[in-house]
Amino acid sequence: MELKNLNITIAGGTGFLGQVLIEYFKTRVKHIYVLSRKFRPNNKQVTYLIWDGENQGDWTQALASSDVLINLAGKSVDCRYTAANKKAIIDSRVDSTKALGIAMHNCETPPTIWINASTGTIYEHSESTPMDEEHGRLGNTFSEEVAKKWERAFFDFYRREVRQVAVRIAIVLGKKGGALQPIKAISKLGFGGQQGNGNQQISWMHEEDFARAIAFIITHPEQEGIFNLAAPLPIRNRHFMQNLRAVLKVPLGINLPKPLLELGALLIKTETELILKSRYVQPKRLLNAGFKHKYTSPELALKDLLS
């Protein structure tokens, strides 16, 4: 399966990860269809189609013309976990996945591969035990339950000719979005020390390696099931922040203890879990399949992204 001959549909393609994939694939594939809640102008490489992430509509026609479906749709978890937000986080993932499943069932010639986003947050908090696809322990907190419901909705779909891959994505570091931007901002203000006790593992991936991994899975038709998408080795929070300060040439890094983080999270309407949970995600299946990461150390990734 050569990329240059493929049409790809990306649901939820206007977010950070969707933009990373569009930028990577737009010169490598035949055409990209993007399912979006808001109107965007089309261009030669990309066609935007309106959908609401829940109901069937004209957007389903894109599937008949596509070889690949990638679903990234879901409300951002960067918010307070109120009852309303919790429901929106779950519904936006489960409902969009179910809507795509219905469309795939009704499509006469559906895409031959469906890649659905999941998250490395599905694994329980771990500072010392690596979590791979076979032996990783799934947790029971709200965020972990969201991921399990998301994957259940995806694998409830079955069509013999459609290859299915759920990608449990670690923190993707990028130049124009994602988690790196706010961390860079506070580091420049002198608050780039460890967060909490600093022992929590950060499983991460450079944005280019994320896109390359998706392309690898697409072009290797024997690969299906669950894949962890992360760099080979995580890094502890305190060491990541040291690397970040070194690349930014910021000598001072004030530590942010948990009580201060909780106050800050309340003020900016987010949750400390995004920073304090230890994610030790091991991309065992990706490595065993022969994928080679371009960026294997945070220092190399940060130098590239912040230069």
Side-chain angles (χ1 to χ4, degrees), residues 181-192 195 241 256:
Q181 305 312 310
I183 297 174
K184 178 178 73 171
I186 65 170
S187 295
K188 286 186 173 182
L189 294 173
F191 295 97
Q195 294 149 344
M241 298 308 296
L256 297 175

Side-chain angles (χ1 to χ4, degrees), residues 147-250:
K148 288 190 283 186
K149 289 178 180 179
W150 199 2
E151 290 188 7
R152 195 175 305 125
F154 175 55
F155 285 114
D156 277 347
F157 168 85
Y158 173 76
R159 188 163 172 174
R160 183 177 54 83
E161 63 269 40
V162 178
R163 178 164 56 105
Q164 291 179 253
V165 180
V167 284
R168 293 174 175 170
I169 306 167
I171 294 171
V172 177
L173 304 178
K175 289 185 178 181
K176 297 180 180 179
L180 183 57
Q181 305 312 310
I183 297 174
K184 178 178 73 171
I186 65 170
S187 295
K188 286 186 173 182
L189 294 173
F191 295 97
Q194 69 184 39
Q195 294 149 344
N197 63 20
N199 289 330
Q200 66 270 35
Q201 300 280 7
I202 297 176
S203 288
W204 61 278
M205 197 174 205
H206 188 288
E207 61 181 1
E208 183 180 346
D209 278 340
F210 166 70
R212 290 179 59 248
I214 295 294
F216 180 89
I217 291 169
I218 290 170
T219 55
H220 286 72
E222 72 280 7
Q223 304 302 333
E224 59 183 355
I226 294 170
F227 276 79
N228 290 342
L229 297 194
L233 293 174
I235 183 172
R236 294 199 185 273
N237 174 271
R238 67 166 64 91
H239 299 142
F240 179 85
M241 298 308 296
Q242 288 172 359
N243 280 323
L244 180 59
R245 294 196 308 271
V247 172
L248 293 175
K249 295 181 172 59
V250 177

Side-chain angles (χ1 to χ4, degrees), residues 51-105:
W51 84 321
D52 63 4
E54 184 176 354
N55 297 295
Q56 303 298 293
D58 292 342
W59 60 266
T60 61
Q61 298 172 15
L63 299 183
S65 303
S66 295
D67 306 283
V68 180
L69 169 62
I70 301 172
N71 178 28
L72 303 171
K75 173 180 168 56
S76 172
V77 296
D78 187 8
C79 62
R80 295 298 288 179
Y81 290 165
T82 63
N85 281 339
K86 283 183 176 182
K87 185 178 187 302
I89 287 169
I90 294 171
D91 290 351
S92 62
R93 287 161 173 75
V94 172
D95 290 350
S96 61
T97 301
K98 287 181 177 180
L100 288 167
I102 292 170
M104 291 284 277
H105 268 303

Side-chain angles (χ1 to χ4, degrees), residues 238-294:
R238 67 166 64 91
H239 299 142
F240 179 85
M241 298 308 296
Q242 288 172 359
N243 280 323
L244 180 59
R245 294 196 308 271
V247 172
L248 293 175
K249 295 181 172 59
V250 177
L252 175 66
I254 298 172
N255 294 336
L256 297 175
K258 185 176 180 180
L260 189 58
L261 287 172
E262 289 175 343
L263 175 60
L266 183 63
L267 291 173
I268 64 173
K269 298 181 180 181
T270 189
E271 294 285 341
T272 57
E273 178 198 42
L274 303 178
I275 295 174
L276 296 180
K277 179 175 180 178
S278 186
R279 300 167 176 85
Y280 200 153
V281 181
Q282 190 75 35
K284 185 176 180 179
R285 288 199 65 201
L286 198 60
L287 295 173
N288 287 347
F291 180 78
K292 304 294 183 184
H293 292 74
K294 183 176 178 180

Side-chain angles (χ1 to χ4, degrees), residues 21-55:
L21 293 184
I22 290 170
E23 187 64 27
Y24 181 84
F25 282 119
K26 69 182 183 181
T27 58
R28 292 176 168 87
V29 301
K30 188 186 298 183
H31 198 75
I32 301 172
Y33 298 95
V34 178
L35 308 186
S36 171
R37 294 175 184 271
K38 296 181 180 179
F39 173 79
R40 298 285 182 98
N42 299 330
N43 57 56
K44 184 178 179 181
Q45 296 90 4
V46 184
T47 299
Y48 290 88
L49 301 167
I50 296 292
W51 84 321
D52 63 4
E54 184 176 354
N55 297 295

